[in-house]
Amino acid sequence: METIIKQKIKEVKKGDQSAFEDIVSFYQNKVFHICLRMIGNSYEAEDLAQEAFIRAYTNIHTFDEKRKFSTWLYRIATNLSIDRIRKKKPDYHLDAEVKGTEGLDMYSQLAADQALPEEEVESLELQTYIHREILALPPKYRSVIVLRYLDELALQEIAEVLEIPVGTVKTRVHRGREALRKRLRHV
Amino acid sequence: MNCNREAIALMHSYLDGELYKEDERRLRDHLQSCPSCQEHFQELKRTTTLVKNATPVSAPPRFTANVMANLPKEKKRKNYLRKLQRHPFLTAAAVFFILMFSGIFTAWNQDQQVTVSKQENLEIRDHTVIVPDGVTVEGDLVVRNGDLRIEGRVDGDITIINGDIVESDSNNESESDNRLDRNNLRAYSGELTEVNQVYEWVWYHAKKTFKEIFTFEQD
């Protein structure tokens, strides 16, 4: 897959816009996932994910083909998300609890097709709860936890995405994990 | 083993898959003997499992189509920019030429003051440099942004940039005829160069540079 993506990037660089479609459809879930876990609600996440892909497209010539494309793309997505979080900071703490319930938005899409059995509803509640607890982490811990556990990135790769030293990543993963442990221990 | 610091640090390293065999054994030994650390470790493991198993979300339907619809149109200007980025040497050459020509043009346009090469006994009057009667100017004479009237003699080449060589006043026409003859014959002993157009100015510069290099090589 990696080689196909590399080929597609070459085509986009040559000016073939349609080659970008395959790149978007291959990475859309991961990018949307990162944005959703970072920002909390699916409308804003969709907006951010879309902007991330558009930025990747307009800046594709700055991408070094010797490096991993996903790292570069995730960096754009996390930076955009962190910027957005910073901008809305003034009202962020006041209604953090209320915001958390917006996490339900993303499940409304899942629920659209079929009626859910009882246990699945329960599991959805748990998912929403975990989602909310991740969102309650400060952004710098949230970003490492999201990249570490939702995309299973190695510490070294997280360091490259966030452009911080591996040691810092380690510390943040540890602290983020401890914070989550305290919040989820009663679940 | 210190529970609060060392053991917990080892637990996190273990969860990151970065624990050496020896440390892993130490951790295991400690966990067997310390119930509070065992609980802590179980909670951490459970937390990571919960977070890992959080349902992966999919992008909304038509996400890719929306992105594609919102991409900026391929513009010619963009292609042009990309070409510039792809050919740094060409870009460097273009920038060099722009700077060189703009430099020469600016020098041509801005210098509107009459300047003359350093020689004694020259008079400057109303944008006209006069070599007075009976005076002999030694060496090459360069006049810029002004006319030149020779009543005496110039021993060397004359270059007039943005100006003309002026013959005498209309009052003493007869005398001027004489002087003109004399001018033609002996007023200056070298070459006369007049530069009046921008392209001539550029050509003059090129020739001067070439000459300098040539002379240098001959030396």
Side-chain angles (χ1 to χ4, degrees):
Chain A
M1 199 61 219
E2 197 67 16
T3 49
I4 296 173
I5 291 297
K6 271 200 174 132
Q7 185 55 37
K8 293 288 173 195
I9 291 164
K10 276 201 188 104
E11 283 166 29
V12 175
K13 277 190 175 178
K14 275 182 201 147
D16 179 7
Q17 199 174 67
S18 62
F20 196 65
E21 192 162 354
D22 296 322
I23 297 174
V24 178
S25 75
F26 185 68
Y27 287 109
Q28 57 175 350
N29 291 343
K30 296 259 179 161
V31 170
F32 178 71
H33 199 160
I34 292 173
C35 295
L36 178 64
R37 297 301 181 187
M38 290 298 289
I39 204 77
N41 76 72
S42 58
Y43 293 109
E44 271 184 283
E46 184 177 355
D47 188 43
L48 283 172
Q50 193 167 325
E51 200 179 333
F53 278 110
I54 291 168
R55 288 218 182 167
Y57 175 78
T58 48
N59 295 307
I60 194 85
H61 53 274
T62 66
F63 168 66
D64 180 0
E65 279 164 61
K66 281 174 235 127
R67 319 200 72 163
K68 221 172 156 186
F69 182 71
S70 59
T71 307
W72 187 71
L73 185 62
Y74 294 170
R75 183 185 307 152
I76 296 176
T78 42
N79 284 347
L80 278 174
S81 304
I82 289 168
D83 279 353
R84 184 73 64 92
I85 292 166
R86 260 183 217 142
K87 267 182 208 147
K88 50 190 246 179
K89 204 158 194 177
D91 57 36
Y92 176 70
H93 288 296
L94 284 176
D95 44 26
E97 286 301 307
V98 183
K99 273 234 168 73
T101 57
E102 286 179 29
L104 285 167
D105 282 353
M106 62 169 191
Y107 297 107
S108 57
Q109 341 177 106
L110 290 175
D113 289 24
Q114 75 264 27
L116 292 167
E118 190 82 348
E119 57 195 36
E120 234 170 290
V121 172
E122 250 170 52
S123 125
L124 272 191
E125 273 162 14
L126 178 61
Q127 298 294 340
T128 311
Y129 184 73
I130 294 166
H131 176 66
R132 201 163 63 197
E133 293 307 330
I134 293 172
L135 274 177
L137 291 173
K140 61 177 182 179
Y141 299 131
R142 202 188 311 165
S143 52
V144 291
I145 290 292
V146 167
L147 294 170
R148 181 80 183 86
Y149 285 116
L150 304 166
D151 289 306
E152 308 245 348
L153 258 52
L155 295 178
Q156 177 59 41
E157 212 176 339
I158 298 173
E160 277 168 38
V161 170
L162 298 174
E163 294 180 300
I164 52 175
V166 188
T168 313
V169 175
K170 246 180 238 180
T171 318
R172 288 187 186 174
V173 169
H174 294 189
R175 293 204 183 137
R177 202 153 39 199
E178 281 296 332
L180 278 178
R181 178 189 70 88
K182 281 179 197 139
R183 290 161 182 279
L184 297 175
R185 70 202 296 186
H186 306 300
V187 175
Chain B
M1 192 182 285
N2 183 332
C3 294
N4 285 330
R5 295 184 130 264
E6 207 184 346
I8 290 172
L10 287 179
M11 289 177 207
H12 283 289
S13 298
Y14 173 81
L15 291 170
D16 287 331
E18 296 205 321
L19 203 58
Y20 293 113
K21 278 270 173 283
E22 191 191 321
D23 284 331
E24 203 181 314
R25 204 180 315 118
R26 278 175 62 213
L27 178 63
R28 206 177 321 129
D29 292 346
H30 176 72
L31 288 180
Q32 271 164 6
S33 62
C34 177
S36 79
C37 276
Q38 207 170 52
E39 198 193 331
H40 193 116
F41 188 60
Q42 289 308 324
E43 282 172 6
L44 277 178
K45 268 172 70 172
R46 188 168 147 68
T47 303
T48 56
T49 316
L50 282 173
V51 176
K52 258 187 201 166
N53 292 344
T55 326
V57 276
S58 331
R62 290 193 44 79
F63 180 83
T64 304
N66 285 342
V67 170
M68 292 311 286
N70 281 308
L71 286 186
K73 296 274 171 293
E74 280 275 310
K75 278 184 205 151
K76 277 201 170 160
R77 206 177 60 84
K78 281 245 169 72
N79 286 335
Y80 188 64
L81 275 178
R82 209 173 295 149
K83 258 179 207 157
L84 281 186
Q85 274 167 344
R86 257 193 230 158
H87 304 286
F89 282 111
L90 206 69
T91 315
V95 169
F96 170 77
F97 274 105
I98 289 166
L99 288 180
M100 193 182 99
F101 280 108
S102 65
I104 292 174
F105 278 120
T106 334
W108 173 261
N109 286 329
Q110 278 181 348
D111 242 355
Q112 290 300 340
Q113 268 192 319
V114 180
T115 50
V116 68
S117 51
K118 260 190 204 159
Q119 265 107 356
E120 282 174 32
N121 303 326
L122 290 174
E123 279 179 43
I124 300 177
R125 212 187 297 149
D126 296 337
H127 293 284
T128 309
V129 178
I130 301 166
V131 181
D133 209 356
V135 170
T136 306
V137 176
E138 304 270 333
D140 298 347
L141 184 65
V142 178
V143 179
R144 190 175 292 199
N145 298 322
D147 298 335
L148 174 69
R149 197 161 84 218
I150 305 171
E151 288 167 6
R153 272 184 55 88
V154 176
D155 235 353
D157 296 346
I158 298 173
T159 307
I160 304 171
I161 297 154
N162 202 13
D164 282 313
I165 187 149
V166 181
E167 284 131 28
S168 249
D169 301 343
S170 51
N171 295 5
N172 17 18
E173 189 110 24
S174 55
E175 244 187 284
S176 93
D177 280 343
N178 283 339
R179 202 170 283 141
L180 206 63
D181 286 341
R182 220 174 56 197
N183 272 353
N184 284 341
L185 289 171
R186 314 184 279 128
Y188 48 93
S189 59
E191 281 176 37
L192 170 68
T193 320
E194 285 185 53
V195 184
N196 277 326
Q197 298 292 329
V198 175
Y199 64 85
E200 281 185 3
W201 166 251
V202 173
W203 175 236
Y204 163 73
H205 258 275
K207 238 170 34 182
K208 203 173 87 175
T209 318
F210 180 74
K211 238 183 200 169
E212 272 165 13
I213 296 166
F214 194 62
T215 338
F216 182 68
E217 278 178 351
Q218 269 192 333
D219 290 344

